Amino acid sequence: MAETLRFDDFEGDTIVLHFGGPEGSIDAYTLAEALIGFADMARAISATVDPGTDIEILVEATGPGSYRTRIRRTKREYGGLLAIGGTVFWGIVSNYIYDNYVKNDPPPQVIVNADGTIVKTGKNTIVITPAIQSGTENAKKNPAVQSGLAKTFAALEADENVKNFGITGSIGDPAPKFNIPRADFPRIAQRSAEIDEEPTSRTTKKRARLFILKAWLNHAKRKWSFEWNGEPVSAPISDAKFLDQVDRREVLLGAGDALDVELHFKQNHDKTLGVWINDPASFVVTKVLRAVPRVP
């Protein structure tokens, strides 16, 4: 008989992972690798749906049954409240995992109304709130989310004692919200070639206004000191035409003046967070568009 699932009734910022099999038989390495993969996935989802928020995933308690672990989400270092509430966040995580589990089923029947989205599959009817549905769709766009999910199920697949995996809201729940049987672990663990081949670095060009802190008024390839968006930046200037103008004193510069420039730099991809991070050693000003005198 089909059941109705809801992913909007978690208890605050906690979720419970259920590992099915003979009681107490899960290997310590399996558990560690699965939790690392799950934490990577959750942090990547957090970076996608709540940019700028870094979270910690804490193992808070273990429970009865085959093996259950309660996980709590907390804001890293900064304290205070998380912008995305626990009910919505863990709903997104659960819905993302479940969606990967049933995605090869026949096309589901989808009904959208004022209360959210109702998805009827061959297995269950799922009630999804608009916030959870929107967050799940955004999470699908981040390859780091799929990478973390794949890592979790690859670890579980490697341990024959783990017979199923599920998620629920409380250690004491008689059964998980849903169970994924061992037979489906390989399919969920399989990462697409496109994800494996995602580039890990790229070169970026941006127009920027750089405030001059220290200048080298010659053709030496020394790095000038600038401020960009409130952050210090060191970069040489390779624009020979502009440097010639400086040599001929056609352009006069001083501390506090600014340059509108084309700035080239490299970025490295953080797979855990699913974001591109600037390489501070790679900044180069390739073209100076104009000098901007400081405001007195």
Side-chain angles (χ1 to χ4, degrees):
M1 177 181 292
E3 298 181 8
T4 299
L5 300 179
R6 298 196 68 97
F7 297 141
D8 60 353
D9 55 356
F10 291 101
E11 300 176 358
D13 276 306
T14 64
I15 195 172
V16 174
L17 309 185
H18 172 90
F19 304 92
E23 184 172 355
S25 62
I26 189 169
D27 182 81
Y29 288 103
T30 299
L31 180 62
E33 288 295 316
L35 291 178
I36 289 171
F38 183 85
D40 286 349
M41 177 188 64
R43 292 185 67 197
I45 289 176
S46 180
T48 302
V49 302
D50 187 15
T53 299
D54 193 10
I55 65 169
E56 286 186 304
I57 306 297
L58 307 177
V59 178
E60 188 174 72
T62 58
S66 304
Y67 197 85
R68 284 187 175 181
T69 303
R70 185 166 66 216
I71 306 293
R72 179 175 295 277
R73 174 183 74 130
T74 184
K75 197 168 184 179
R76 183 185 291 271
E77 295 180 359
Y78 312 114
L81 298 176
L82 292 149
I84 302 294
T87 297
V88 172
F89 180 78
W90 291 125
I92 294 169
V93 172
S94 301
N95 190 40
Y96 180 83
I97 295 173
Y98 189 78
D99 183 76
N100 274 266
Y101 169 43
V102 300
K103 66 181 179 182
N104 284 349
D105 282 358
Q109 178 185 356
V110 179
I111 303 170
V112 180
N113 56 36
D115 297 325
T117 303
I118 300 173
V119 180
K120 295 184 178 181
T121 72
K123 295 180 172 63
N124 293 297
T125 296
I126 314 158
V127 179
I128 309 169
T129 66
I132 291 174
Q133 180 66 22
S134 174
T136 303
E137 293 304 314
N138 286 329
K140 291 178 182 178
K141 300 174 185 177
N142 184 351
V145 178
Q146 176 61 29
S147 176
L149 180 65
K151 187 185 298 183
T152 299
F153 279 88
L156 299 180
E157 181 190 1
D159 189 337
E160 294 183 355
N161 287 321
V162 182
K163 304 303 181 185
N164 55 70
F165 172 84
I167 282 180
T168 192
S170 173
I171 285 283
D173 286 347
K177 289 180 179 293
F178 62 88
N179 257 326
I180 299 176
R182 178 173 183 81
D184 288 306
F185 288 178
R187 174 170 56 83
I188 302 174
Q190 187 176 22
R191 294 173 59 188
S192 69
E194 289 79 10
I195 291 175
D196 279 334
E197 294 171 3
E198 280 289 317
T200 58
S201 64
R202 67 185 184 187
T203 300
T204 299
K205 178 179 75 172
K206 283 190 176 183
R207 287 199 172 191
R209 174 162 291 184
L210 305 180
F211 289 90
I212 300 171
L213 301 179
K214 183 178 181 180
W216 294 97
L217 304 180
N218 53 44
H219 282 262
K221 295 182 180 180
R222 294 182 178 180
K223 292 185 176 182
W224 294 39
S225 296
F226 300 104
E227 181 182 293
W228 182 33
N229 293 333
E231 297 292 331
V233 169
S234 296
I237 295 178
S238 62
D239 185 343
K241 180 179 178 181
F242 169 76
L243 295 175
D244 285 340
Q245 290 175 321
V246 172
D247 275 347
R248 294 193 298 265
R249 301 179 66 83
E250 295 173 6
V251 176
L252 300 178
L253 300 172
D257 292 346
L259 299 176
D260 286 343
V261 305
E262 288 184 358
L263 186 64
H264 284 239
F265 53 94
K266 293 180 180 178
Q267 293 180 311
N268 298 311
H269 191 253
D270 187 314
K271 291 185 177 181
T272 300
L273 299 178
V275 297
W276 291 92
I277 298 175
N278 297 342
D279 178 359
S282 65
F283 288 104
V284 177
V285 174
T286 55
K287 185 175 182 61
V288 177
L289 303 173
R290 68 183 186 117
V292 183
R294 70 178 183 272
V295 178

